[in-house]
Amino acid sequence: LEALERVLVRARQGDTEALSMLYNQFLHGIFGYIAMRVPDRATAEDLTSEVFLQMVEGIHRLRANDEAGFTAWLLCIARVAVAGYYRQREKQPTQVPLPDESWDHTKTERLMISASSPESDPVYWTEAREDWLTVVQAINALTEEQRQVLVGRLILGYDVATVARIIGKKVNAVKALQFRALQSLQRLLGNQQSLAHAHQRRKEEIR
Amino acid sequence: MKPLHDRLNDRLEHIELRNWQNGHHPSDFMLQEPRHEGDPEVDALVVLARRLRVAPHMQVDKDFAGRLERRMLHRHTELQLQRTNEKRSFFFQFRTLPAFGVALCLCLIMLVLGAGVLALAAHISDPNNQLYALKRWEQHLQVSLTNNAGDQAFLDLQIARDRLNTLSDLTDPAHTVAYSQALADIDQQLQTATAAINGLPTGTQRQQLASKLSGLKSDAIHILRNLLPKLTLSERLATTGELTHLGDNVPLLINGMLILPPHPHGRATISLSGSDLQPGAQLLVDGKPAGVTGLLQNGRLIFVVVNWKGEQHPRSLGLIDPDGTAVQTTAITIETANGNTTSKSNHNGQGNSHQPTTTPDTPQNGQSSCPGLPDAQELASKYQLSADSQGAAVLAICALHRGTFKATTSNGTTVTASRVYGYGEIDQLLTYAQYLASQDATNPGGKLSDTNVSSYLAEALLNCGSTPLATCLQTHIPNYQPGNGTGQGNGHQPTATPTPHH
C-alpha cells in the first residue's frame, strides 16, 4: 500500500486518484463520527458530504503531512459541521420527526419491503429510532476529546499512539479518555439497554 | 495489578479492533461475543465498545458512498479548472507568491522614491545641492527626448535661464570652478538655442522664441553686471567675456606698451590701447592690481607706475574697469629707456581678453613667415617638441599664430582655423593637446610628438573652438586650474600681438 504521506502529497497537487484513496480510507470514520452525533441518517449523510467537499476545496492549503495530522484536520471539519448543524437547528422551530424520517430507508422504500420483515413494523422503527437517539444523546454528552478517542480507536481502528498524536495527548491520557468515555456511555445508556436493543434488532435482521 | 484503563485498552487491542482494516467485515467479530475474563467491569465496557463499533447506524450506505465520491470528484474537477484560470491572473500570483509580491512592492517603492527624488531635484535651484546634478541630467534628457527644433530651443532657453538664476549662489571664492562651469553652460545653451531658432522656418514660433532669447540675453547682461563686483578676478574675466558674447559693450584691449624706467625702482609708463576704454580703470599687472588708476589720453589709457621693479617684464597687462568688467592682454610691447623695443606675446601670460587684441603680421619682404619664431620655438621646447623652425611642431604653432592652421584629427575631421591665436592661447591649446595625447589609448606612449601634434591641436580646436579657452580647459581637463603655469585663462580670441617686423 502506498504510504498515506505520499498519497497526501499527490492529493495536494490535485491528483484525482489520491483524493479517491483518501476518501475511501476516511469515509467510514468520518461518517461514524457524524452518525454518532446526529439523530438521523439523512443528516449524517449531508454533513459527511459537506466534510468531504470541504476536504477537496481545502486540501491544497493543508500543512499536515502525516496521517495523524490529516485525520485531526478531517475530524475538525466534521466537528465544525456538526456544531453548525446544531446551531442551525436551535434557530429553527422545533420539528417533530415523522416515522418516515428514521434511519436507513425512506417511507416509499419501506412500503415496498415484505410484510414479513420486521422492518415493515412501524413500532420497530420507532423503537429503533428512539433507541439510537438515546445513544446519540449519550455520545453528545461526552467531551470532544472522548468522542475523538472513540472514533479513532473503535471506528478508524488506530492504535493508542496514533490517536494520541491526532488529539495531541500522551498515550496514557488517551487510555484514560477511552476508559472514561466508555464508562460514561455505559452510565448514560442505563446499562447498555438502548444499545442492546438496537443491537438485538440488528441480529434479528441478519437472521 | 494494572489500572482499569490499561486493562481495558489491553482487552480492546487483544480482540484486534483493526480486523476490519485487514479485510474482515466488522460483523465478523461482532458476532463473537467477547469472552469474559473474570474482570466484570472491563468485560462490560468491551461489550459496549464492540456494540457501538458495529451499530448499524454507524455503517455507510454503499450507494451514498458512491454518490458522494462522484460528487466530490466532480467538484474537484471544477475547482481545478477554476484554479487554472486564477493562476493566470496577476492578483493570484501576488497573493500566492510572496517573492513576487515583495519584488512588486520593492519596484513600486523604488518607483515612488525615484519619482519623488526626480520631482524634488526638479525644484532644486541651489547648484551646491547634490540633487542639482540630477536636475541637470533631467534637463538634458528632456532636451534629447524632444524631436521638435522649436521645443528644443524652448528647453535650451529654459535651461539657460535656470543656470543664470543659479549664478548668484556661486559668487563666493569657494565655487570658482562651479561658477565658470555654470557660465560655460549658459554660453553653450544660448548658442544651441540660437542655432535652433535660426534653423526654424519664419513664423510665429520663431518670432516668439527669438523674443524669448532676446529677453534672456538682456536679463543675463543685467544679472552678470550685478554680479561683477562680487567676483574674483578670474571670474570677472570670464564674465566679461560672456558679456561680450551677449552683445554688451565692454572695454576691449588690443595691446599694451610698457616703457621701462632708466634705472631700477624708477617710474614706468604703461599705455593700453583698445576700444571702449573707461577713465578711472585700474591697472592689472600679471593678474594683480597695481594700485594705479589710468588716465584716458587719445583713446589710450596711460598708467604711471612708480617704483617699478627693475627689469621686470610683465606677462600680462589688464584693466579693472569702473563698471566692474576686467580685461587682460598678453600682447605687450616693452620699450627700454635706451629706445630698444621688444614685442612680446607671452605664452604664460593671462590672455583672457575674448576679442582679438591684434592681428598677426604677414610675411613681408622675405622676413620670417613665422612672426615671433623664438616664442614658437620656446613653446615647442616646453612641450618636448622639436624646436626646428621647419619642424612640424613649430610650423603648427606658427600656423595657429598666423591664422592659417589646417590639420586633420585622428578620426579624419579636417579642422581649419582662420582665427589668429596668441602664444598664450597656443600654450593653452598645447596643454589640451598634450592632455588628449595622454588620454588616447591608440597613441603609443601617450606623448605629444612632432608627428601627432597637429592632429591633437586640431582636436583641441574642435572641442574648444567655440568656448573661451580657459573655461574649455577647465571643463575638459580634470583638476585644471587657471594660473598653474600651463597656459592661463586665454579667451578664444587671440590676445597676443605677433612679433612686429622691423
Side-chain angles (χ1 to χ4, degrees):
Chain A
L1 282 176
E2 187 177 2
L4 192 101
E5 285 73 15
R6 284 201 294 277
V7 176
L8 267 178
V9 170
R10 284 169 48 211
R12 267 201 291 262
Q13 292 166 348
D15 185 86
T16 307
E17 188 189 355
L19 279 174
S20 278
M21 287 171 72
L22 288 176
Y23 169 78
N24 286 307
Q25 184 163 338
F26 287 92
L27 173 65
H28 183 69
I30 295 303
F31 181 81
Y33 172 83
I34 293 171
M36 67 167 59
R37 297 204 55 198
V38 296
D40 59 279
R41 174 173 285 273
T43 304
E45 288 181 350
D46 284 350
L47 295 181
T48 303
S49 303
E50 195 179 310
V51 170
F52 281 99
L53 290 177
Q54 283 191 38
M55 179 192 87
V56 167
E57 288 174 9
I59 197 163
H60 67 286
R61 290 194 300 266
L62 177 66
R63 292 186 179 178
N65 52 12
D66 62 353
E67 186 167 0
F70 180 70
T71 309
W73 180 62
L74 271 189
L75 283 174
C76 179
I77 298 174
R79 181 172 59 80
V80 171
V82 171
Y85 161 74
Y86 277 110
R87 267 200 307 276
Q88 190 68 28
R89 212 172 72 151
E90 277 175 13
K91 290 177 188 171
Q92 289 173 349
T94 310
Q95 292 177 344
V96 179
L98 296 171
D100 60 353
E101 289 177 332
S102 61
W103 284 90
D104 287 331
H105 298 282
T106 64
K107 184 180 177 183
T108 313
E109 285 171 333
R110 286 209 314 278
L111 290 174
M112 293 167 68
I113 296 171
S114 158
S116 62
S117 164
E119 293 174 1
S120 63
D121 182 1
V123 177
Y124 166 86
W125 284 110
T126 307
E127 284 178 355
R129 177 171 51 78
E130 286 174 357
D131 285 345
W132 184 249
L133 202 56
T134 309
V135 175
V136 168
Q137 284 167 350
I139 286 174
N140 280 339
L142 300 179
T143 65
E144 179 60 26
E145 282 177 345
Q146 288 174 339
R147 281 194 292 266
Q148 291 201 2
V149 168
L150 288 183
V151 170
R153 293 284 286 130
L154 306 182
I155 303 174
L156 289 168
Y158 288 137
D159 58 21
V160 179
T162 305
V163 174
R165 283 200 301 277
I166 291 171
I167 65 170
K169 296 273 182 186
K170 291 186 176 174
V171 168
N172 275 338
V174 172
K175 286 178 184 173
L177 280 168
Q178 176 180 256
F179 175 75
R180 282 198 294 273
L182 287 171
Q183 200 177 37
S184 299
L185 266 185
Q186 188 183 40
R187 190 180 64 250
L188 292 165
L189 292 174
N191 294 322
Q192 307 174 46
Q193 278 183 354
S194 302
L195 196 57
H197 288 164
H199 199 65
Q200 186 58 35
R201 287 190 181 88
R202 172 72 174 155
K203 279 185 174 179
E204 287 167 3
E205 282 175 42
I206 294 165
R207 285 194 201 104
Chain B
M1 194 176 193
K2 284 184 175 179
L4 270 174
H5 64 260
D6 270 342
R7 297 201 317 262
L8 171 65
N9 194 60
D10 289 347
R11 286 285 302 281
L12 290 173
E13 285 185 353
H14 182 70
I15 59 173
E16 296 177 330
L17 272 175
R18 297 190 68 169
N19 267 358
W20 66 275
Q21 285 187 317
N22 298 328
H24 298 285
H25 191 276
S27 59
D28 291 349
F29 65 88
M30 181 272 292
L31 292 171
Q32 301 165 4
E33 286 297 326
R35 59 190 173 86
H36 297 275
E37 295 185 352
D39 197 344
E41 197 174 352
V42 172
D43 290 344
L45 295 180
V46 169
V47 169
L48 175 63
R50 298 179 74 185
R51 286 184 174 167
L52 185 65
R53 167 75 186 83
V54 296
H57 309 81
M58 306 274 282
Q59 310 311 316
V60 182
D61 179 68
K62 283 184 181 176
D63 290 341
F64 163 72
R67 281 198 312 273
L68 178 55
E69 185 174 10
R70 284 193 295 278
R71 191 177 159 198
M72 185 188 77
L73 295 178
H74 179 68
R75 178 69 183 142
H76 171 63
T77 310
E78 279 181 351
L79 285 170
Q80 275 198 319
L81 196 65
Q82 195 177 328
R83 282 179 196 141
T84 308
N85 292 334
E86 272 186 5
K87 275 181 186 172
R88 291 177 190 150
S89 75
F90 174 81
F91 291 107
F92 180 84
Q93 290 194 4
F94 187 78
R95 202 176 62 229
T96 54
L97 298 175
F100 179 77
V102 169
L104 193 69
C105 285
L106 282 176
C107 286
L108 284 173
I109 290 169
M110 297 288 285
L111 197 67
V112 169
L113 283 178
V117 170
L118 286 175
L120 188 67
H123 291 94
I124 294 293
S125 58
D126 177 11
N128 302 316
N129 192 307
Q130 290 183 339
L131 289 178
Y132 191 73
L134 192 59
K135 179 181 181 173
R136 289 181 58 187
W137 174 79
E138 273 182 80
Q139 288 174 330
H140 286 295
L141 190 68
Q142 270 185 309
V143 173
S144 59
L145 291 176
T146 309
N147 293 325
N148 183 286
D151 292 343
Q152 276 186 351
F154 182 79
L155 284 172
D156 285 330
L157 291 176
Q158 266 194 335
I159 296 171
R161 185 169 286 283
D162 182 65
R163 296 284 182 281
L164 189 63
N165 293 335
T166 64
L167 280 180
S168 57
D169 294 322
L170 301 170
T171 51
D172 58 304
H175 294 110
T176 306
V177 177
Y179 181 88
S180 302
Q181 180 62 51
L183 207 59
D185 281 351
I186 292 169
D187 189 64
Q188 177 68 36
Q189 293 300 330
L190 286 175
Q191 283 186 35
T192 313
T194 306
I197 292 167
N198 290 338
L200 287 174
T202 311
T204 316
Q205 190 186 29
R206 179 173 171 158
Q207 275 182 349
Q208 285 175 344
L209 287 170
S211 166
K212 267 185 177 296
L213 176 65
S214 171
L216 179 59
K217 282 184 173 178
S218 302
D219 291 347
I221 289 170
H222 179 69
I223 289 171
L224 291 179
R225 280 203 168 271
N226 284 340
L227 291 178
L228 278 170
K230 303 175 192 170
L231 303 176
T232 61
L233 180 62
S234 63
E235 289 171 342
R236 281 190 192 210
L237 291 166
T239 305
T240 306
E242 187 55 36
L243 283 169
T244 311
H245 281 183
L246 292 167
D248 194 16
N249 282 330
V250 292
L252 299 174
L253 279 185
I254 294 174
N255 62 13
M257 174 174 278
L258 167 65
I259 302 170
L260 291 170
H263 49 81
H265 302 290
R267 179 180 292 180
T269 305
I270 293 171
S271 165
L272 298 175
S273 65
S275 62
D276 294 322
L277 300 179
Q278 299 169 8
Q282 291 184 14
L283 177 67
L284 292 173
V285 178
D286 288 338
K288 291 176 185 168
V292 184
T293 305
L295 290 172
L296 195 59
Q297 291 178 356
N298 300 324
R300 296 177 73 89
L301 270 172
I302 308 296
F303 299 88
V304 177
V305 185
V306 295
N307 196 21
W308 186 264
K309 291 174 185 172
E311 295 291 320
Q312 179 191 350
H313 288 192
R315 292 166 183 271
S316 70
L317 292 173
L319 296 172
I320 295 181
D321 298 305
D323 64 0
T325 53
V327 285
Q328 282 195 141
T329 181
T330 55
I332 304 166
T333 304
I334 299 171
E335 190 176 312
T336 56
N338 57 15
N340 290 336
T341 302
T342 310
S343 282
K344 182 166 188 174
S345 50
N346 195 322
H347 55 267
N348 283 328
Q350 304 249 354
N352 285 293
S353 293
H354 44 79
Q355 291 292 326
T357 55
T358 187
T359 50
D361 283 356
T362 50
Q364 288 174 3
N365 304 324
Q367 290 179 342
S368 168
S369 62
C370 184
L373 180 62
D375 286 331
Q377 288 172 320
E378 191 182 337
L379 259 184
S381 301
K382 181 182 173 187
Y383 289 91
Q384 283 87 45
L385 300 168
S386 166
D388 183 355
S389 62
Q390 294 304 309
V394 173
L395 288 177
I397 293 167
C398 290
L400 281 169
H401 194 53
R402 284 198 311 270
T404 57
F405 180 84
K406 185 176 181 182
T408 307
T409 63
S410 55
N411 62 7
T413 308
T414 303
V415 177
T416 307
S418 56
R419 186 176 296 160
V420 173
Y421 286 88
Y423 282 118
E425 290 172 309
I426 296 170
D427 187 12
Q428 288 179 320
L429 285 171
L430 282 166
T431 303
Y432 188 24
Q434 192 176 45
Y435 172 75
L436 289 171
S438 69
Q439 298 300 308
D440 189 353
T442 61
N443 179 28
K447 289 186 175 177
L448 195 65
S449 66
D450 280 48
T451 52
N452 63 23
V453 64
S454 296
S455 165
Y456 287 118
L457 278 172
E459 201 167 330
L461 283 170
L462 199 63
N463 292 339
C464 289
S466 59
T467 1
L469 269 178
T471 309
C472 186
L473 265 62
Q474 279 171 2
T475 308
H476 287 93
I477 304 177
N479 304 322
Y480 176 82
Q481 290 293 327
N484 62 3
T486 55
Q488 313 235 343
N490 286 295
H492 63 276
Q493 297 293 333
T495 55
T497 307
T499 310
H501 302 280
H502 301 288

